[in-house]
Amino acid sequence: MTIRVKLTAMFALLFVVLAGVLVTTAYLFVAGTGAGPAQMAERQQALQDALAEQGIEVPSSPGPQDPAGQWGDEGVPPQGPQDDAVSRTLAAIDEAARAKVLEDLLTRSLLAFAISAVVAVGLAWWLAGRVLRPVDEIARAASTLSERTLDRRLPEGGPDDEFGRLRHAFNGMLARLESAFDSRQRFAADASHELRTPLAVLRASADNVLSSPRPSRQARELAAEVEAQVARADSLMTSLLTLARADDVIHTRERLDLADVAAEVVSAASPRATEAGVEIDLDIADAPMEGDPVLVERLLANLLDNALRYNVPQSGWVRCRVWSEGARACAEVSNSGPAVDADEIPVLFERFSRGHQRSEVAGHGLGLPIVARVAEVHAGTVEAVPGERGGLSIRVSFPLAEAR
């Protein structure tokens, strides 16, 4: 039950209680009001005079104030109603009229109460919406932070009430988040620059040793080990920076075709596949989407790299398909390789976790986690299933871009 529904129910309940009290009070007030003895005597005398003018004489009987049936000493008739047929008829008429009035009052009051209750519920719903509109604006702004920029601010014009202070606090939180994300991005850029410099120096030194005319066997082995570790550190740093970029809010989205990205990635990996004796089968069709080109390229590159890395020693193959299906742009990379247990697949998408069946192959366990994270920030999905004859088939899908 939403806050708006709760407020509407509270306002409607308050109206029902107050209206019920008002209707009950009016009914009891009218029901307790009747003609007094003096008014009944006047009505009786007026009726007798009217009948007398028509030649109809109505005999009087002793009243409660004149037991002897005589006038008073001063010749003044009694003030109370007479106990005769006329008085009884007038009393019956008065009682029937009052019952009719009470019945009409109750019927019309209930009808007016029902109509007013319906109107009150509608007004309460509208009023609750007006009161909660600032909260809805804040909720909509917060829901777009994962896909939009953090530089948005809510307008702070208006009265300095609770909602005004809430807007101000929300804008302050956005400013702090923007500053934190900017600091994180600057740190990633600075760390990338600072770490790549010593790695480049180490790699150059190892290359110099390996390219020297007659290096010793120990020096050559050490240089080869240094070069391998530098390459591994560089790959690990690239993966971590990719994760950091994916974890941050995507500031810009570009229109791109998943088929073009797949063709470029396959073209770049073809020499490595030829060297490893793995055949790459590329089947692509137009699949336009919107996203970060660097991250999408990294996603497909990681899928293809894993497909080549974890493959059979001889006569291996990798299939890369791109197509559009419904409102989704899809890409699938499958390969021949060692069998993978279905229970082990969720572990492969955890950071720095490679599974016990893949420990013999070099890697750092960030390939598939990067794929999952990049798909997540693009509102995509990832599905992985074991191949029938070994290997793994991984499918990713993204929302299809609207046609221009």
Side-chain angles (χ1 to χ4, degrees), residues 258 289 328-331 375 378-383 395-399:
L258 200 57
M289 60 169 291
R328 310 290 291 183
C330 305
H378 286 85
T381 60
V382 181
E383 299 178 5
R395 176 183 298 186
V396 294
S397 66
F398 305 97

Side-chain angles (χ1 to χ4, degrees), residues 121-394:
V121 170
L123 291 177
W125 178 263
W126 175 81
L127 181 61
R130 293 277 298 179
V131 171
L132 296 176
R133 181 178 297 176
V135 179
D136 291 336
E137 293 177 358
I138 296 176
R140 285 193 298 269
S143 64
T144 60
L145 291 181
S146 58
E147 299 180 357
R148 304 292 181 182
T149 61
L150 286 174
D151 56 356
R152 284 189 174 184
R153 297 294 182 271
L154 295 175
E156 296 188 14
D160 186 18
D161 54 6
E162 288 80 358
F163 290 125
R165 292 191 290 272
L166 180 60
R167 290 172 182 266
H168 181 73
F170 187 77
N171 286 339
M173 182 192 68
L174 289 181
R176 292 190 294 272
L177 285 176
E178 184 181 15
S179 176
F181 276 109
D182 289 342
S183 299
R184 179 178 178 176
Q185 290 178 344
R186 286 195 300 269
F187 172 77
D190 294 342
S192 174
H193 175 74
E194 296 298 331
L195 289 176
R196 288 185 187 277
T197 300
L199 290 178
V201 172
L202 290 175
R203 178 173 294 173
S205 301
D207 290 340
N208 288 334
V209 173
L210 293 176
S211 61
S212 60
R214 301 178 64 180
S216 62
R217 185 176 63 85
Q218 184 177 7
R220 180 179 293 275
E221 293 177 354
L222 181 60
E225 179 66 20
V226 169
E227 190 173 36
Q229 293 300 324
V230 167
R232 186 176 184 278
D234 184 72
S235 176
L236 177 60
M237 183 179 61
T238 301
S239 299
L240 291 175
L241 292 177
T242 302
L243 278 175
R245 180 185 179 115
D247 287 337
D248 288 337
V249 176
I250 299 178
H251 292 274
T252 58
R253 289 180 181 267
E254 300 180 12
R255 186 183 179 89
L256 55 93
D257 197 323
L258 200 57
D260 296 338
V261 179
E264 294 178 1
V265 171
V266 170
S267 177
S270 294
R272 177 185 169 191
T274 302
E275 182 180 353
V278 177
E279 180 183 357
I280 299 181
D281 181 18
L282 180 62
D283 181 11
I284 58 177
D286 292 340
M289 60 169 291
E290 292 185 357
D292 189 320
V294 176
L295 293 180
V296 175
E297 181 181 0
R298 189 72 257 168
L299 179 147
L300 293 178
N302 282 0
L303 290 179
L304 198 60
D305 178 75
N306 276 5
L308 294 174
R309 186 188 304 270
Y310 303 101
N311 214 309
V312 294
Q314 296 177 353
S315 302
W317 54 265
V318 173
R319 293 191 181 96
C320 179
R321 297 176 54 221
V322 175
W323 75 100
S324 59
E325 180 178 340
R328 310 290 291 183
C330 305
E332 183 181 65
V333 176
S334 55
N335 71 331
S336 60
V340 179
D341 294 337
D343 298 337
E344 189 183 0
I345 290 180
V347 180
L348 301 179
F349 287 90
E350 299 177 2
R351 297 185 181 184
F352 301 105
S353 178
R354 303 171 56 206
H356 66 278
Q357 296 179 348
R358 298 189 168 198
S359 58
E360 69 277 2
V361 181
H364 41 69
L366 287 177
L368 292 183
I370 290 177
V371 171
R373 182 56 184 160
V374 172
E376 181 182 355
V377 299
H378 286 85
T381 60
V382 181
E383 299 178 5
V385 294
E388 295 180 358
R389 298 181 180 180
L392 196 64
S393 178
I394 301 178

Side-chain angles (χ1 to χ4, degrees), residues 29-48:
F29 177 76
V30 175
T33 302
Q39 292 178 338
M40 291 297 295
E42 292 178 359
R43 294 177 183 178
Q44 180 178 349
Q45 186 62 39
L47 180 60
Q48 289 177 348

